[in-house]
């Protein structure tokens, strides 16, 4: 097949055929691969429409792209990028690169619900060929930019889930840095994914190239040699690499089919545009990845087959915008070595300075020169090219492959500057680095480069040398030496989307927070102080900040002082704001609505009407609607939804949260509304009947916790007055308590507390039961579990606080240490879980126990005092008790007095008159009372 070809690559074919025969002992698969690579290159360079192969974020590709555009001045630029992202590209001029063009879909239609939300990003850096093509096309009159790659919708149509998306991370992996997570879980779309898909080939290249990562191999063996090459050499070499990796790729059926369908898609769109506009193919350039430039599908070329049919998009509505990106985010998204994009940016600046190529930059771009030459219409194509009718291209490939590598001379000044800078950065970050370390890094870099057959150390050699000489055994600060080298080589540049390119919601947020006088687009944390009492207009800023706290990730808006509670008005607040750092999250809010109030309302509705929503979650939405939106309409709607969800629940799992939120909402409406909302009255009535029905089951269910049963009783007892006023019957509650038969000690204590509240059990009977438990040696080990139940009973029956203090005190006094000590952690945990119970117990204990330590010796616990109605020994008139035994036997007292040397005589007390002395002295009152009673 190869023998039929005639052209500039015939000599190269002959050489490769001889090499294949010598290496494989005759014609074999190796010959087919080598000759097929030449055929792919020949086919691409013969194409009437110039195919320009690039690599993702490659400085060599960017320089070659800028040079070629200035030479040829094409009228149409076909770019491998999602076709639905075209309207956003003009907004790049309002951003500071790197940024990413994003397509986002929150509500999906036609995809599995578990995939939501869908997100596609295409990062753009200044040192990329795609940016040069975009800047040229948008700022040159008469030039059209056409995006020809599959749409964002087709990206997911062709996705073979359930594997993780490109941006997904391993759950066991350490958390990524903030800058590396700017893209979130979005699927990355890039131009030129030029990396071997054949693992053995990549391992072979890395081992023989004496490098650690593919990015380092590419920098050393492709970027540097192609940095100064001419257009034809660059183009043929990139086509060769793309064809090689394509032919050696493993036969993953799905991936191969997606790659080929993308190529069919792009060439179909190109031919459609050429036919619709009548553009001459020689006036255009097709910018695509080198992997796709060496395509072998039948649809390849302007004269290719038209049998491919592009399927329709789903009904999913896609939102498009720009989000900030960073070098670290790009590296994490596409599996590049840390620091490789920063090194590429440095290499891009060096290439521009060395070659003198003038790059393209969008007018108004951050950092662009203000003075711009007057734009003129694009001239006719010129320069070297592959258009039809041009002279055959020379064979640059043979010379490049046979040329020995050019050894770059050691730039001692540059390396010395690197060594000094890294030592200075290391000292600032806590390392004990000195001048000796700078010398060691300098010499070690040269040594490592020599061991790897390089005359000039690369940034990767320098990085390894710095880690070896400076880091030693530990990292004293937040950054290690490898990270410091990455920052020094160009830093992790983080892009920014300007105000003009933000969606309406984000611009509205910035406008409403303008009274704070802060640079909200600036990265980092800024402190905002709101004196709302002195400046009432700041209350609107407070409302916005609280909603942002509810909608954005933690850290975007964090309150330092102040809180938002039902029925309270703010006076002073203090906030830490990092909206510039979390700009991506704010922009994605703009995909959901035009204001944060609309987005919050949609999210509250979505949470309330979720099929898995619980009553507690719906009540939370009701509270948030009242707290943040102050919307009675939405609160009533969600409250009605809470009634529906409550009727479907068959357990008391959410009872504690339901009780807490209903109490808070009820207290708010009672103080702020003249009449309770209809939904909360219906909720109290329905909830009373609902939890009465579930109470016996909850007592018997082993899965129901003590806290859940206590919360159920708390709802019933707390809502009892309102429920009875609305027509409920207390008999239902009494029957539910009578039907409860708990087996666990804690739940049995809860039942006893409920019976005391209902009047079916007196305190004396309850105390007797506890005394019986303490008096039974067999029940002592489980007595602390009864006490845990009594502590939980403070939730529904707070009036038992004094009895709980008594029971806990008796336990500390009578329980043996082997039983008491293991129970103490359980008691502390229970009190910590229920923050309302601990103050109640402490306050009651402070009322019962003496306030001073000396009074404790003579203190008698109230529960040990005789109850009213029991016989009390008679007292003497002077307040003392009669010593009847001493009076009857005085000899014992006389003997003690003689022993102590005391002299004295016995005093005979006057007899105590029977009855009350006051009545005997003043009988008139009793006589009048007798006459009154007789008359009635």
């Amino acid at each position: 097949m190869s023998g039929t070809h005639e052209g500039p690559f015939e000599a190269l074919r002959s050489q490769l055929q001889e090499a294949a025969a010598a290496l494989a002992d005759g014609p074999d698969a190796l010959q087919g691969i080598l000759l097929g690579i030449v055929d792919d290159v020949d086919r691409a360079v013969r194409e009437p429409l110039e195919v320009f192969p690039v690599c993702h974020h490659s400085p060599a590709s960017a320089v070659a792209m800028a040079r070629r555009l200035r030479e040829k001045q094409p009228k149409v630029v076909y770019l491998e990028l999602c076709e639905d992202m075209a309207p956003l590209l003009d907004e790049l001029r309002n951003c500071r690169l790197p940024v990413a063009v994003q397509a986002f879909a929150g509500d999906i239609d036609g995809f599995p619900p578990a995939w939501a939300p869908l997100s596609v990003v295409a990062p753009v850096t200044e040192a990329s060929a795609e940016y040069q093509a975009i800047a040229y096309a948008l700022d040159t009159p008469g030039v059209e930019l056409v995006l020809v790659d599959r749409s964002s919708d087709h990206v997911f149509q062709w996705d073979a889930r359930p594997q993780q998306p490109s941006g997904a991370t391993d759950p066991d992996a350490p958390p990524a840095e903030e800058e590396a997570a700017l893209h979130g879980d979005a699927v990355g779309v890039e131009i030129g994914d030029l990396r071997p898909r054949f693992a053995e080939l990549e391992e072979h290249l890395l081992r023989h190239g004496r490098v650690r990562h593919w990015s380092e191999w590419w920098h050393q063996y492709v970027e540097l040699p192609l940095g100064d090459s001419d257009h034809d050499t660059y183009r043929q070499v990139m086509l060769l690499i793309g064809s090689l990796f394509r032919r050696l790729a493993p036969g993953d059926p799905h991936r191969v089919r997606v790659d080929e369908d993308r190529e069919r898609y792009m060439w179909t769109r190109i031919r459609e545009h050429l036919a619709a506009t009548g553009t001459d193919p020689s006036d255009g350039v097709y910018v695509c990845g080198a992997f796709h430039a060496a395509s072998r599908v039948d649809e390849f070329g302007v004269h290719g087959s038209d049998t491919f049919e592009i399927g329709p998009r789903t009904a999913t509505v896609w939102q498009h915008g720009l989000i900030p990106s960073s070098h670290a985010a790009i590296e994490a998204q596409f599996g590049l070595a840390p620091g490789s994009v920063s090194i590429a940016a440095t290499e891009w600046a060096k290439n521009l300075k060395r070659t003198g190529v003038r790059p393209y930059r969008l007018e108004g771009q951050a950092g662009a020169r203000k003075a711009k030459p007057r734009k003129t219409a694009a001239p006719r194509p010129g320069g070297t090219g592959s258009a039809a009718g041009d002279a055959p291209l020379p064979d640059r490939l043979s010379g490049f492959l046979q040329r020995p590598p050019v050894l770059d001379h050691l730039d001692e000044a540059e390396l010395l500057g690197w060594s000094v800078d890294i030592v200075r950065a290391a000292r600032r970050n806590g390392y004990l680095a000195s001048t000796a370390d700078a010398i060691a890094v300098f010499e070690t870099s040269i040594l490592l480069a020599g061991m790897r057959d390089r005359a000039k150390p690369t940034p990767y050699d320098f990085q390894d040398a710095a880690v070896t000489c400076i880091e030693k055994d530990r990292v004293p600060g937040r950054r290690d030496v490898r990270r410091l080298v990455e920052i020094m080589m160009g830093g992790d540049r983080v892009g920014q989307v300007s105000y003009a390119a933000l969606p309406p919601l984000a611009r509205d947020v910035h406008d409403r927070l303008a009274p704070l006088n802060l640079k909200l687009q600036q990265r980092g944390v800024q402190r905002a102080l709101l004196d709302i009492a002195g400046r009432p207009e700041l209350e609107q800023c407070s409302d916005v900040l609280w909603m942002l706290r509810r909608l954005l990730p933690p850290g975007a808006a964090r309150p330092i002082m102040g809180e938002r509670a039902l029925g309270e008005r703010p006076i002073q607040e203090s906030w830490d704001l990092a909206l510039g750092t979390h700009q991506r999250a704010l922009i994605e809010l703009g995909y959901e609505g035009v204001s944060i109030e609309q987005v919050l309302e949609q999210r509250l509705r979505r949470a309330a009407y979720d099929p898995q929503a619980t009553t507690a979650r719906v009540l939370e939405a009701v509270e948030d609607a009242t707290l943040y939106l102050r919307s009675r309409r939405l609160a009533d709607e969600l409250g009605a939804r809470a009634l529906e969800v409550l009727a479907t629940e068959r357990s008391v799992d959410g009872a504690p949260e339901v009780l807490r939120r209903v109490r808070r909402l009820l207290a708010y409406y009672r103080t702020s509304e003249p009449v309770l909302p209809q939904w909360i009255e219906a909720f109290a009535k329905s909830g009373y009947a609902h939890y009465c029905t579930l109470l016996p089951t909850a007592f018997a269910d082993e899965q129901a916790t003590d806290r859940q049963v206590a919360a159920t009783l708390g709802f019933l007892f707390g809502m009892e007055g309102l429920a009875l006023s609305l027509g409920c019957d207390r008999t239902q509650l009494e029957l539910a308590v009578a039907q409860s038969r708990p087996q666990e000690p804690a739940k049995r204590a809860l039942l006893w507390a409920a019976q005391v509240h209902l009047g079916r059990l007196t305190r004396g009977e309850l105390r007797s039961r506890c005394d019986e438990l303490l008096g039974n040696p067999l029940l002592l080990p489980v007595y602390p579990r009864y006490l845990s139940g009594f502590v939980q009973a403070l939730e529904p029956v707070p009036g038992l606080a004094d009895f709980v203090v008594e029971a806990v005190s008796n336990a500390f006094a009578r329980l043996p240490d082997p039983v008491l000590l293991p129970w103490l952690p359980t008691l502390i945990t229970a009190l910590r879980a229920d923050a309302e119970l601990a103050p109640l117990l402490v306050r009651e204990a402070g009322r019962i126990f003496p306030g001073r330590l000396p009074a404790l010796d003579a203190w008698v616990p109230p529960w040990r005092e005789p109850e009213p109605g029991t016989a009390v020994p008679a007292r003497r008139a002077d307040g003392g008790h009669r010593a009847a035994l001493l009076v009857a036997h005085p000899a014992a007292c006389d003997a003690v007095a003689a022993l102590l040397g005391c002299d004295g005589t016995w005093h005979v007390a006057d007899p105590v008159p029977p009855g009350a002395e006051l009545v005997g002295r003043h009988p008139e009152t009793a006589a009048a009372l007798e006459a009154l009673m007789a008359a009635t």
Side-chain angles (χ1 to χ4, degrees), residues 47 65 75 319 334 351 572 695 782 865 900:
E47 178 61 31
M65 185 83 256
K75 292 183 178 180
Q319 305 287 336
F334 302 109
N351 288 348
Q572 286 184 338
L695 185 62
V782 298
E865 292 182 352
L900 297 176

Side-chain angles (χ1 to χ4, degrees), residues 14 117 134 156 250 312 348 354 405 423 434 457 490 545 578 589 591 610 674 682 709 819 830 842 901:
S14 301
I134 292 171
F156 288 95
W348 157 255
R354 183 176 62 253
V423 169
S434 62
L545 292 176
L589 283 183
Y591 301 151
D610 188 272
V709 176
V819 176
V842 172

Side-chain angles (χ1 to χ4, degrees), residues 899-920:
L899 182 63
L900 297 176
C902 298
D903 296 329
T905 58
W906 284 92
H907 172 74
V908 179
D910 296 331
V912 179
E917 291 186 82
L918 189 62
V919 177

Side-chain angles (χ1 to χ4, degrees), residues 542-556:
S542 173
D543 296 339
V544 173
L545 292 176
W546 283 108
M547 284 187 282
L548 291 178
R549 179 179 179 268
R550 174 66 171 74
L551 295 171
L552 293 180

Side-chain angles (χ1 to χ4, degrees), residues 41-56:
V41 175
D42 192 16
R43 181 186 187 188
V45 298
R46 290 174 180 271
E47 178 61 31
L49 175 65
E50 180 177 338
V51 180
F52 194 96
V54 299
C55 177
H56 192 50

Side-chain angles (χ1 to χ4, degrees), residues 834-858:
D834 298 293
E836 300 86 358
L837 303 183
L840 188 62
L841 277 180
V842 172
R843 184 168 58 251
E844 188 64 27
R847 187 185 65 82
I848 294 177
F849 287 92
R852 297 183 178 275
L853 185 61
L856 188 62
D857 295 334

